[in-house]
Amino acid sequence: IAGLLGMTTKFTEATLAQTYREVRPDGHVMGGAMEYLSRGFAEKGMPRFGYTMAVLFCVLAIGGSLGAGNAFQVSQSLSAVQQSIPWFNEYDWVFGGIMAFLVAIVIIGGIKRIAHVAEALVPTMVIIYLLAASWIILSNVGQLPAAFSAILTGAFSLEAGIGGLIGVIVQGFKRAAFSSEAGIGSAAIAHATAQSHYPVRQGIVALLEPFIDTVVICTMTALVIIVTGVYNAPEHAALVEGSQGAALTSVAFGSVISWFPIVLSVCVVLFAYSTMISWSYYGERCWSFMFGERGSLFYKVTFIAFIIVGSVTHAGNILDFSDLLILAMAFPNFIALYAFSGKVKTMLDEYLAKLKSGELDAEVHRA
């Protein structure tokens, strides 16, 4: 449910990011929540309020990039790798050092080819992951009614009172926002760089992201964890308590496909690596918004240092820190999404009118 709702916020964010982006003389693109907050509210005659909200968003986004987009990614990928390579249990800092080096040569060294290779491999890893998940789910198709029943019962049970119900709903929305970044404004920074003649068109592309990663991938992951029974197995309680979701997923897949944890480890590391590079860009853009392009090196060095921190820090602590910052990022962003929703609706109506009239097809033909 949170993923489906997130499709609307992701659409609005990406559309606004394209509308209010700025291409600077040096070629750098500045766009995202900080731009549509500052420039959008300036149009409404509230430049000081808009800039204040933009700076607040940037500060929170920088913190979020170091936590959710960096340290937590390292921690989760490490926990998955440790299931296949126990050696890293004692030398977790080595894994952190390797990841720090690989990220550093891209964001500091400028060697973009590695990032492009990782980005090219990620869709392949997604397909492999979904095929394996589908095979496990279909092999246990008789358990699906009970699995969905467990999900619904856990989500809407009043056994623990209203506090328990609200707690479960909050947890669900936190994880949905964490997986798709819908509503928090971070992904809008990346969507601002896309080349699109119509901002709405980029918004439509963006709304597919929460559907794929939250509605499809996260739901299939949940079903695998439930039908294999690892989520309530006493021997895996420590993974649940320690918020080691990647490790628990590895155990679930490994209980059916013995060799798959190795493949899953590669998948998780690639997912984490591409996510870290993306979030380093988000944080760097926010840093540059406040301090200028020349000051970004300090941020990049700090980002690399947090990779090592993530490899030796408890995942639960990082997750709590990250959730707080992501929640805080959403507040200034949602103010903008609400304030400019009318503008986005008008743009959508105009785009759909051109689509229905065939005007867009004519433009493509001329191009």
Side-chain angles (χ1 to χ4, degrees):
I1 293 172
L4 293 172
L5 292 174
M7 293 171 68
T8 64
T9 56
K10 202 68 171 285
F11 166 78
T12 308
E13 289 171 322
T15 301
L16 289 173
Q18 281 281 315
T19 303
Y20 288 103
R21 73 175 190 162
E22 175 191 3
V23 181
R24 295 185 169 178
D26 59 1
H28 284 100
V29 176
M30 183 62 72
M34 60 280 198
E35 280 295 312
Y36 55 73
L37 277 164
S38 59
R39 299 175 66 187
F41 278 108
E43 290 181 356
K44 290 180 174 291
M46 297 183 287
R48 183 173 298 180
F49 173 78
Y51 184 75
T52 300
M53 289 293 99
V55 170
L56 174 62
F57 173 84
C58 286
V59 171
L60 297 169
I62 291 170
S65 72
L66 299 177
N70 185 347
F72 182 73
Q73 300 298 325
V74 176
S75 178
Q76 287 291 286
S77 58
L78 173 60
S79 68
V81 170
Q82 287 171 335
Q83 299 299 310
S84 303
I85 310 176
W87 183 81
F88 281 113
N89 287 314
E90 295 185 18
Y91 300 97
D92 48 11
W93 59 272
V94 175
F95 180 83
I98 294 172
M99 292 295 283
F101 173 76
L102 292 174
V103 172
I105 60 178
V106 172
I107 70 172
I108 295 180
I111 304 177
K112 303 297 185 183
R113 183 171 299 173
I114 294 178
H116 293 324
V117 170
E119 291 169 356
L121 287 175
V122 164
T124 303
M125 295 293 100
V126 169
I127 293 172
I128 294 173
Y129 183 91
L130 291 178
L131 287 174
S134 298
W135 189 83
I136 294 174
I137 292 170
L138 292 175
S139 299
N140 296 272
V141 67
Q143 298 184 44
L144 287 184
F148 280 112
S149 176
I151 292 173
L152 294 172
T153 301
F156 301 110
S157 173
L158 290 174
E159 291 180 0
I162 298 299
L165 174 64
I166 293 175
V168 170
I169 293 175
V170 168
Q171 182 70 6
F173 272 81
K174 285 197 302 183
R175 297 281 64 76
F178 201 104
S179 69
S180 68
E181 302 176 28
I184 64 176
S186 55
I189 300 173
H191 284 288
T193 64
Q195 297 298 320
S196 181
H197 188 62
Y198 293 98
V200 167
R201 183 174 290 170
Q202 188 61 28
I204 293 171
V205 172
L207 66 80
L208 293 174
E209 297 167 3
F211 179 78
I212 294 171
D213 60 36
T214 303
V215 177
V216 177
I217 296 178
C218 289
T219 298
M220 293 183 71
T221 302
L223 291 174
V224 169
I225 290 173
I226 293 173
V227 299
T228 56
V230 299
Y231 74 105
N232 60 0
E235 62 270 27
H236 304 311
L239 296 179
V240 177
E241 292 295 327
S243 300
Q244 297 289 349
L248 187 66
T249 303
S250 179
V251 171
F253 277 89
S255 67
V256 180
I257 309 174
S258 60
W259 49 266
F260 196 76
I262 298 175
V263 177
L264 183 61
S265 296
V266 176
C267 292
V268 173
V269 170
L270 284 174
F271 294 158
Y273 182 62
S274 58
T275 300
M276 291 159 68
I277 292 174
S278 298
W279 270 95
S280 71
Y281 177 74
Y282 300 161
E284 187 269 337
R285 289 291 81 201
C286 288
W287 185 276
S288 296
F289 179 85
M290 295 190 296
F291 304 111
E293 302 288 348
R294 294 183 180 179
S296 63
L297 180 60
F298 176 79
Y299 166 79
K300 293 177 181 178
V301 172
T302 303
F303 189 89
I304 299 301
F306 265 75
I307 297 176
I308 306 295
V309 172
S311 66
V312 297
T313 306
H314 190 272
N317 295 334
I318 302 174
L319 190 58
D320 292 339
F321 171 72
S322 301
D323 280 339
L324 180 62
L325 289 172
I326 286 179
L327 172 65
M329 285 172 64
F331 285 120
N333 187 52
F334 264 95
I335 291 174
L337 298 187
Y338 179 78
F340 308 134
S341 59
K343 182 183 183 72
V344 173
K345 184 181 185 303
T346 299
M347 295 169 66
L348 176 60
D349 290 341
E350 293 174 353
Y351 179 83
L352 292 177
K354 289 185 177 182
L355 182 64
K356 292 177 180 178
S357 68
E359 184 176 340
L360 294 183
D361 293 334
E363 289 182 5
V364 171
H365 182 71
R366 288 195 300 269

